[in-house]
């Protein structure tokens, strides 16, 4: 009998121990599940703390900015004191830089190794007239360079007259609003002035510098397109027709102010049906020079 009681007590103790183990296993499982849940949801918490993409650093307008490069052979013309004209329109930034000569014939926003396969993205030169401190003038190449962010390095490859691409690191920095006094209409006369075209597909260009005529304080620019297929331009609701019948489309249009984006619409007949395309033209007062 005593043996039977001892066995019964032992079995009861084992059963109680088993129930306790089962009950303690549930919280352990839940704890593991909670830990896994915490690990799985951690990235979500991180994503919520991420800062949104930066907006354009500068409001729309025209600025003077430093054009910094990593080479003494590739830089802004000495007459420009290392600077260029930064135009911001609809949040998109474009830096116009007059170089030191005509020995750099194309630029590519990226690495030299990729340039040959992306010829459609090569930046085409403008012809700028620069005036040196001794009063002499010279024609050099300039470029309109898209800028994603100021005070940030980016890759810009250059193509020289010998047909070789080279890598360079550049930046646009210290942007300041263009001098308002410099943007006033110059005295009556005939001038040349660098002009920056923005908008459209990016393939169309205009000749730069453009001829700028001032009469009774009113400015008129002669705009020569890179195509003969523009049949009219619209500015403030007024239609302007070409002044030529042969060669690339040429217009005489009013310019309200220098260093300020001028909204224009140009109609092209190059496609199957005519299309009106919106552009902006900005005339840089820093490049203004008396016509010869």
């Amino acid at each position: 009998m005593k043996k039977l009681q001892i066995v019964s007590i032992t079995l009861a103790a084992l059963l109680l121990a088993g129930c306790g183990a089962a009950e303690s296993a549930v919280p352990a499982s839940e704890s593991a599940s909670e830990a896994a849940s915490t690990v799985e949801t951690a990235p979500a918490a991180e994503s919520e703390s991420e800062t949104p993409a930066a907006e354009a650093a500068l409001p729309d307008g025209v600025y003077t900015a430093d054009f910094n490069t990593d080479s003494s052979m590739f830089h802004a013309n000495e007459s420009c004191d290392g600077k260029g004209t930064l135009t911001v329109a609809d949040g998109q930034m474009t830096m116009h830089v007059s170089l030191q000569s005509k020995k750099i014939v194309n630029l590519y926003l990226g690495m030299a190794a990729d340039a040959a396969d992306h010829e459609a993205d090569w930046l085409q030169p403008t012809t700028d007239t620069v005036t040196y401190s001794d009063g002499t003038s010279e024609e050099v190449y300039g470029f309109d360079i898209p800028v994603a962010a100021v005070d940030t390095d980016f890759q810009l490859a250059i193509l020289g007259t010998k047909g070789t691409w080279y890598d360079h690191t550049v930046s646009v920095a210290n942007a300041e609003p263009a001098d308002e006094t410099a943007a006033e209409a110059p005295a009556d006369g005939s001038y040349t002035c660098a002009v920056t075209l923005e908008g459209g597909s990016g393939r169309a260009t205009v000749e730069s510098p453009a001829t700028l005529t001032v009469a009774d304080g009113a400015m008129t620019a002669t705009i020569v397109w890179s195509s003969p297929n523009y049949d009219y331009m619209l500015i403030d609701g007024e239609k302007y027709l070409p002044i030529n019948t042969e060669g690339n489309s040429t217009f005489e249009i009013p310019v309200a102010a220098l260093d300020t984006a001028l909204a224009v619409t140009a109609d092209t007949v190059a496609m199957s049906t005519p299309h009106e395309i919106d552009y902006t033209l900005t005339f840089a007062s820093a490049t203004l020079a008396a016509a010869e």
Side-chain angles (χ1 to χ4, degrees):
M1 237 357 235
K2 288 183 178 179
K3 289 184 179 180
L4 182 59
Q5 289 175 346
I6 292 171
V7 170
S8 298
I9 292 169
T10 302
L11 287 174
L14 288 174
L15 286 172
L16 288 171
C19 291
E23 289 173 356
S24 64
V26 172
S29 174
E30 289 176 353
S31 175
S33 176
E34 289 174 1
S37 175
T38 302
V39 172
E40 290 172 359
T41 57
E46 290 178 4
S47 64
E48 290 176 0
S49 65
E50 290 178 358
T51 56
E55 296 179 354
L58 299 172
D60 286 5
V62 179
Y63 302 79
T64 299
D66 295 335
F67 181 64
N68 301 318
T69 76
D70 59 1
S71 171
S72 61
M73 302 299 292
F74 170 47
H75 54 79
N77 189 276
E78 65 180 79
S79 67
C80 302
D81 194 27
K83 300 182 182 295
T85 300
L86 181 67
T87 302
V88 186
D90 296 328
Q92 301 298 312
M93 297 187 287
T94 302
M95 180 73 162
H96 183 83
V97 181
S98 299
L99 300 183
Q100 64 272 35
S101 67
K102 291 185 176 180
K103 293 182 179 180
I104 295 174
V105 296
N106 289 108
L107 302 181
Y108 174 70
L109 201 61
M111 303 299 292
D114 301 324
D117 295 330
H118 298 85
E119 186 172 352
D121 297 325
W122 294 1
L123 302 182
Q124 302 301 321
T126 61
T127 301
D128 298 353
T129 300
V130 296
T131 302
Y132 299 101
S133 57
D134 61 1
T136 60
S137 297
E138 180 185 18
E139 286 191 349
V140 299
Y141 280 158
F143 289 89
D144 296 320
I145 305 168
V147 179
V150 294
D151 303 316
T152 302
D153 289 348
F154 60 95
Q155 295 301 125
L156 190 64
I158 67 172
L159 177 66
T161 53
K162 295 183 179 180
T164 303
W165 285 97
Y166 296 94
D167 283 318
H168 287 285
T169 301
V170 305
S171 67
V172 174
N174 301 322
E176 297 183 356
D179 186 358
E180 293 182 0
T181 59
E184 295 178 355
D188 287 4
S190 184
Y191 302 85
T192 60
C193 187
V195 57
T196 301
L197 175 73
E198 293 183 299
S201 65
R203 295 184 179 181
T205 60
V206 296
E207 286 188 7
S208 180
T211 299
L212 188 72
T213 303
V214 185
D216 297 328
M219 295 182 288
T220 301
T222 301
I223 298 297
V224 182
W225 290 87
S226 56
S227 161
N229 297 314
Y230 291 95
D231 60 346
Y232 66 82
M233 292 181 67
L234 297 174
I235 302 172
D236 291 333
E238 294 289 330
K239 179 182 284 189
Y240 296 85
L241 300 177
I243 61 173
N244 63 324
T245 57
E246 296 182 357
N248 289 346
S249 302
T250 303
F251 297 82
E252 289 183 345
I253 62 171
V255 177
L258 303 178
D259 299 328
T260 301
L262 173 65
V264 304
T265 299
D267 187 73
T268 178
V269 295
M271 307 176 195
S272 57
T273 57
H275 283 272
E276 291 185 349
I277 303 174
D278 293 330
Y279 299 96
T280 62
L281 294 167
T282 304
F283 298 83
S285 64
T287 66
L288 196 68
E292 296 180 357

